[in-house]
Amino acid sequence: MRRLDISNVSHHYPGTSSATLNNVSVSVEEGQMVSVIGPSGSGKTTLLRVAAGLEPTASGRVHVGGVDVGDLPAERRDLTVMFQQPLLFDHLDVAGNVAFAPRLGGASRRQSRDQARQYLRLVHLEGFDRRSVHSLSGGQQQRVALARALAAERSVLLLDEPFSSLDRELRASMHDLLDEVRTALTPTILLVTHDLDEAALAESTAVLIDGVIHQQGPMPLLYRQPATLPVARLLGGFTEVTGTIRDGNHRSRWGLIPLPVDCHVTGDAVLLLRREGLRLVEPDPVDGDPGSLARVIRLRPAGTRQIVSLVTDTDTDTDTDTDTDTDQGSYGVVEVEVAMGSDVPVGSQWRVQVPLIASRWAVPTV
Amino acid sequence: MTRAARTTLTVLALLWLCLPLIPVLVWAGADRWSFPAVLPQQWGLRGWEDAVRAGLPGATLISLLLGAAVSAAATPLGVMVGRALGWRLLARPRLAVGVLLLPLALPPFALSMGLDVILIRLGIPALVAVFVLLVVMATPYTAYTCAVGFARTSPTLGEQARALGATPGQAHRRVVLPAIRNSILIAAMLAFLVGWSDYVVTLLIGGGRLVTAPVLLGSATSGSGNESAVAAIALATLVPPLLLVTAAGWWQRPRSSRVRTP
Amino acid sequence: MNAQSARAAGPGLVGITVVAGAAMAAVVATSFGLMPLYGEPQPSLQGWRDAAPDLLLGVRESLLIALPAAALAAVLGLALAGLMLGGGRSASWVRTGCLAVLAVPHLVGATAMGQLLGDGGLGARLVAPGLDSWPPLVAGPWPVATVLELAWKESAFVALVVLAAVVPGHRQRMDVAAGLGARPLQRLTRVLLPTAMPALAASSVVTLVYAIGSYEVAWLLGRAAPEPLPVLAFRLFGSIELIDRPAAAAAAVTGAVLAIGIAGPLLAALPRLRVVPRPTKGHQ
């Protein structure tokens, strides 16, 4: 297995002025998996197609195992792609599909089919070799597609939202399968997805928004310390409060809120509060933490929890130099997560507390 | 494939497709074109005059009517059979497909002969027999075209309409048929072509009294030696179907299919 | 509603069966003397005996025309489809050309071929000034003009049928194959061709059967003898001699048997032939 390095790749589709990819760099160590997430239209699939050689690149380089593959056509790069649709060849049976790449490599029919059977076993489809591809369910087809990609035995595996067309349960079983495959074969994988849980399977996740990589790192880190506002919005679950940062504190209509030491943002900044870290307390607080008075406007379920939407009124304490444009008696909406069945009726008033310093972060105002 | 190779192949392809029609085009505008001149010595429209005298306008009209009649009859039949095929409503689809293949596989001259024998016995007018046989021969085309269209449309479309209050008839007319409008138009066009282009059935059963454009062409081209008139009749026989098909093809053209991947 | 819709197909299917069945029954009966124009039916094999020597020659001539025409149409049709798959302006030019050729009635095509390939035709004028050096392509010892006309028209048909079958998902199939390591030639032979094969085979069978049954092209462009079956049958049928009728019918029956005999087994042997495309998944 070899490493994949995509360096400074820029790309735009002919006939469009804006760049689909703008100086994007992503690296995947040998045997590791890196996921790329981003909203639709962010350029994720284009990035993958450029790496695969299916799309010409305006500039930048692609290296596999240190070797520049930029001038090579797709079939000669040491990588293989799996797409969102299984796209099985219907003139071949299941084993024939999986054996496709080995056959191209010169293996005899028997050899390649034997090899195919091994990979089918890996994806839990033993005994399916002679089946027609049309007789398979969606999940089975995707597994055959995975086996087919693995059977090509290339150094790098590129996965383009491979499980997004499957339902949640199937997707979960495919994630387990992917883990098994990674344990068995340790391929180098670049996974493009919009499913955050899927992205979290990787050692590191790159966030691609509007053709630019905003941040790359392990998923928990992205959740805790998003680098930019678009990243925070993509991951979701934050309440945003605009204001400024001075001396390690964020000033806004919420008051003065201290930030973690490793947050180095200064100047105009958006305070990000993870909603599961916020707490609702009765209007007269006993502890000294600053909070804001807020009124419940909406409740909605979220799995086994509830998300409470509250509207905050400005509190008294404001320095004159924290006056911002937003401070015209404006009300911000904050979302707090509470247990299902909590007694938080619409219209009731609460103080919103930010008890854990770890659930705060700030990003520069866009 | 290199740009040059593609261009060369395209030119060759277009040459293959268009070359045979060129002499007809030239002859239709030639008053005198003696061998071995490459171009006519004298251009003119005398061929057209001769063709008109031979009955071209009337023959064209009859062909139009016949084509339209065949289309009008074969298209609804095709829609009904096509729906049963495309939505897999038949218990034995292979049987239906086999039936539809009969008029395609059986030689027209055999079918015409048989029908001619029958019509003499039963006293059916020749025109009716020609019409019926042409409809039978056109229906496989209309049925197949509509079947493809229905296969691409969900059967639940009509159910959806009925859930909104439409009667079965309304659901069919207002929702289902418009959804496969393209297929129906192509089917109607194909049926028209069958009726318009036919030679054997019209000649054999019609006995030469039903003079359509192809029949006129057949007699002109095998006898007269007047190449200009022949070319004129050939063009007149060619132009309406050509216009119809290219109009349909242009309208149906695949829109720019560049894949925009996000 | 489904049963009702299925029944609605009845008139069309039954109509075809009745008309085609009755017509064929009548032809067969005529060939055995059971449906004479005048007089009492008299079962006899006379028609067949009269026609016998010409029948064999007719079968040979029909196949001599139909097989090369179908083969040529298949090869050229595939090439045209391949050209159109490349996309771009050349694809739409070629597609328009194929549609135009499809629209041409065979009789017009035959006329055109005659004016191109005949002794006084455009081909002769361009290539050989002297009449003697132009080969007898029309009405010559080999049915060259006939085969070319049929191949010409049917190549457009084959091209459009193959294109329609291959285009859905073509780009993705090629990407997947490339992603699995297939070089351009391998993508052609191991993916494109197999995908096109059912459509190619089906349209070729249709071409073959059509060519066997085609009258006007062979009549116009072929030589006087030997006659392919349709021309033979037509001539005998139009003859003044009443006794020629059963022979004409015998020729017609032979042509029909030849066509069905070829079409039936060949089409049945195509395992992956989906006459009607699979309904679109995921939209129901």
Side-chain angles (χ1 to χ4, degrees):
Chain A
M1 288 310 152
R2 299 149 87 191
R3 57 177 293 132
L4 171 70
D5 294 288
I6 301 171
S7 328
N8 309 109
V9 162
S10 294
H11 180 274
H12 69 265
Y13 280 105
T16 59
S17 48
S18 56
T20 319
L21 294 174
N22 204 340
N23 205 27
V24 169
S25 299
V26 176
S27 290
V28 189
E29 304 281 329
E30 268 180 62
Q32 302 286 307
M33 176 158 92
V34 168
S35 54
V36 177
I37 56 170
S40 309
S42 57
K44 323 188 283 296
T45 298
T46 308
L47 179 65
L48 195 134
R49 289 177 66 86
V50 164
L54 296 170
E55 210 73 58
T57 157
S59 67
R61 307 239 63 89
V62 179
H63 290 86
V64 178
V67 175
D68 189 338
V69 298
D71 295 324
L72 295 178
E75 59 270 15
R76 291 227 287 263
R77 300 191 183 194
D78 191 11
L79 40 74
T80 184
V81 190
M82 188 179 154
F83 295 92
Q84 193 174 342
Q85 301 301 327
L87 292 173
L88 301 178
F89 301 131
D90 61 5
H91 62 277
L92 298 170
D93 60 16
V94 167
N97 266 275
V98 179
F100 186 79
R103 279 290 270 156
L104 290 174
S108 75
R109 191 161 182 272
R110 167 180 299 197
Q111 270 178 313
S112 60
R113 283 182 82 92
D114 282 338
Q115 216 176 328
R117 270 186 281 273
Q118 287 179 30
Y119 284 101
L120 284 171
R121 208 171 310 140
L122 185 62
V123 300
H124 306 301
L125 285 178
E126 282 182 61
F128 274 70
D129 8 336
R130 296 251 174 97
R131 295 271 292 264
S132 138
V133 302
H134 293 301
S135 67
L136 303 177
S137 70
Q140 289 168 334
Q141 288 191 357
Q142 252 335 14
R143 282 190 272 162
V144 173
L146 181 60
R148 180 176 63 176
L150 294 171
E153 292 184 353
R154 297 283 175 93
S155 299
V156 175
L157 187 56
L158 303 173
L159 304 176
D160 185 4
E161 306 209 43
F163 312 131
S164 64
S165 59
L166 304 174
D167 66 46
R168 201 158 48 113
E169 210 178 297
L170 260 178
R171 222 179 307 150
S173 71
M174 291 303 280
H175 293 167
D176 293 336
L177 183 61
L178 191 58
D179 274 339
E180 282 178 42
V181 166
R182 293 194 60 204
T183 310
L185 300 174
T186 64
T188 306
I189 302 180
L190 182 69
L191 168 72
V192 161
T193 180
H194 64 265
D195 180 332
L196 297 173
D197 295 336
E198 202 162 278
L201 297 171
E203 280 84 23
S204 170
T205 300
V207 183
L208 182 66
I209 299 176
D210 288 334
V212 175
I213 300 260
H214 282 228
Q215 188 176 6
Q216 181 171 353
M219 197 63 130
L221 186 70
L222 300 183
Y223 270 113
R224 275 201 329 267
Q225 303 179 349
T228 65
L229 193 55
V231 173
R233 287 185 176 156
L234 184 71
L235 296 172
F238 290 104
T239 284
E240 300 171 17
V241 185
T242 45
T244 47
I245 296 179
R246 215 195 308 159
D247 305 325
N249 294 318
H250 184 270
R251 294 153 188 267
S252 67
R253 64 182 179 278
W254 280 47
L256 214 60
I257 296 185
L259 293 166
V261 248
D262 43 358
C263 178
H264 303 298
V265 181
T266 56
D268 288 338
V270 175
L271 176 67
L272 298 171
L273 302 168
R274 288 217 57 82
R275 59 176 183 233
E276 64 265 18
L278 298 175
R279 258 179 45 193
L280 295 177
V281 292
E282 299 288 320
D284 287 306
V286 179
D287 21 39
D289 247 306
S292 289
L293 197 62
R295 194 178 66 253
V296 177
I297 56 170
R298 197 170 56 145
L299 298 161
R300 68 177 200 274
T304 54
R305 313 268 293 162
Q306 273 190 101
I307 297 183
V308 184
S309 300
L310 307 110
V311 169
T312 61
D313 305 331
T314 50
D315 208 34
T316 51
D317 173 39
T318 43
D319 274 353
T320 44
D321 50 352
T322 62
D323 275 350
T324 59
D325 290 334
T326 58
D327 192 61
Q328 349 132 312
S330 63
Y331 298 94
V333 177
V334 59
E335 290 184 334
V336 177
E337 238 180 66
V338 299
M340 183 72 81
S342 303
D343 182 21
V344 185
V346 173
S348 54
Q349 285 205 309
W350 302 86
R351 275 211 184 277
V352 179
Q353 278 201 350
V354 191
L356 302 166
I357 197 157
S359 64
R360 308 170 195 176
W361 194 251
V363 289
T365 306
V366 170
Chain B
M1 184 182 302
T2 64
R3 198 77 182 283
R6 170 168 291 279
T7 315
T8 315
L9 285 174
T10 307
V11 168
L12 285 174
L14 290 173
L15 216 61
W16 164 253
L17 293 170
C18 301
L19 193 61
L21 294 173
I22 294 178
V24 172
L25 286 171
V26 179
W27 267 117
D31 274 354
R32 195 162 66 84
W33 192 16
S34 314
F35 193 85
V38 172
L39 284 177
Q41 287 94 347
Q42 201 180 345
W43 299 91
L45 294 176
R46 206 173 324 130
W48 288 93
E49 292 169 16
D50 295 336
V52 167
R53 258 198 302 274
L56 183 58
T60 313
L61 185 63
I62 295 181
S63 282
L64 271 171
L65 291 172
L66 187 60
V70 170
S71 182
T75 307
L77 285 175
V79 169
M80 292 191 282
V81 175
R83 181 173 61 177
L85 274 178
W87 282 351
R88 293 153 190 272
L89 304 172
L90 295 173
R92 283 211 292 236
R94 294 215 142 221
L95 186 62
V97 169
V99 166
L100 285 177
L101 282 177
L102 279 179
L104 291 182
L106 293 169
F109 68 90
L111 291 170
S112 307
M113 262 183 221
L115 217 55
D116 191 55
V117 169
I118 292 176
L119 78 86
I120 290 174
R121 298 234 153 196
L122 295 180
I124 305 170
L127 183 58
V128 171
V130 169
F131 170 72
V132 165
L133 188 51
L134 288 177
V135 169
V136 164
M137 283 165 57
T139 303
Y141 294 99
T142 57
Y144 182 75
T145 309
C146 290
V148 168
F150 275 104
R152 291 199 186 129
T153 313
S154 169
T156 55
L157 205 63
E159 289 167 7
Q160 171 76 84
R162 295 186 56 205
L164 291 165
T167 65
Q170 285 173 327
H172 188 67
R173 276 192 314 275
R174 289 166 187 259
V175 174
V176 175
L177 289 184
I180 58 157
R181 193 186 47 186
N182 277 355
S183 299
I184 295 182
L185 285 171
I186 295 182
M189 183 194 74
L190 289 174
F192 177 86
L193 283 181
V194 168
W196 171 280
S197 313
D198 171 73
Y199 180 68
V200 173
V201 177
T202 318
L203 188 64
L204 203 151
I205 298 182
R209 276 160 312 184
L210 189 59
V211 181
T212 59
V215 168
L216 187 66
L217 178 61
S219 77
T221 199
S222 64
S224 68
N226 182 348
E227 296 292 344
S228 312
V230 166
I233 301 174
L235 271 187
T237 312
L238 168 60
V239 164
L242 192 64
L243 286 177
L244 207 59
V245 169
T246 45
W250 177 84
W251 184 42
Q252 291 266 306
R253 70 195 180 285
R255 267 66 180 179
S256 159
S257 58
R258 189 191 62 209
V259 173
R260 296 283 277 118
T261 46
Chain C
M1 184 175 111
N2 275 357
Q4 198 180 37
S5 301
R7 270 200 300 275
L13 294 173
V14 167
I16 292 177
T17 315
V18 164
V19 172
M24 283 319 296
V27 172
V28 170
T30 307
S31 72
F32 288 111
L34 294 168
M35 286 184 85
L37 214 45
Y38 303 116
E40 289 303 306
Q42 268 181 320
S44 106
L45 288 174
Q46 193 55 43
W48 287 91
R49 278 195 226 108
D50 288 339
D54 293 324
L55 281 182
L56 288 171
L57 288 172
V59 168
R60 178 181 165 276
E61 192 71 12
S62 284
L63 289 175
L64 193 61
I65 293 171
L67 288 168
L72 195 56
V75 169
L76 291 173
L78 193 60
L80 287 169
L83 201 56
M84 286 192 275
L85 273 176
R89 246 199 319 229
S90 56
S92 59
W93 279 110
V94 174
R95 184 171 166 270
T96 308
C98 285
L99 287 172
V101 169
L102 207 63
V104 176
H106 268 286
L107 191 59
V108 174
T111 306
M113 276 292 176
Q115 291 188 334
L116 178 70
L117 300 175
D119 287 335
L122 186 60
R125 293 166 194 257
L126 287 173
V127 169
L131 202 69
D132 293 43
S133 38
W134 183 253
L137 300 171
V138 174
W142 295 101
V144 177
T146 312
V147 167
L148 281 178
E149 198 281 345
L150 288 166
W152 173 67
K153 268 221 27 132
E154 301 305 311
S155 65
F157 167 70
V158 169
L160 291 173
V161 170
V162 166
L163 188 71
V166 167
V167 153
H170 171 68
R171 182 108 190 277
Q172 294 98 303
R173 262 195 298 274
M174 293 292 112
D175 281 350
V176 169
L180 290 166
R183 289 178 211 211
L185 188 63
Q186 291 173 317
R187 299 204 280 268
L188 188 72
T189 51
R190 288 177 192 257
V191 181
L192 182 57
L193 225 49
T195 310
M197 204 42 80
L200 183 64
S203 54
S204 298
V205 170
V206 169
T207 301
L208 184 63
V209 166
Y210 180 84
I212 289 175
S214 162
Y215 168 74
E216 49 257 55
V217 183
W219 168 64
L220 212 54
L221 298 175
R223 63 178 170 168
E227 301 160 306
L229 291 170
V231 179
L232 173 66
F234 214 97
R235 177 177 62 79
L236 289 173
F237 196 75
S239 146
I240 313 170
E241 308 283 333
L242 285 178
I243 55 169
D244 282 339
R245 279 208 152 216
V253 172
T254 310
V257 166
L258 186 62
I260 298 272
I262 288 184
L266 280 182
L267 287 176
L270 292 174
R272 282 179 294 117
L273 182 64
R274 303 216 103 255
V275 181
V276 171
R278 210 172 285 280
T280 46
K281 263 197 174 126
H283 293 306
Q284 292 178 347

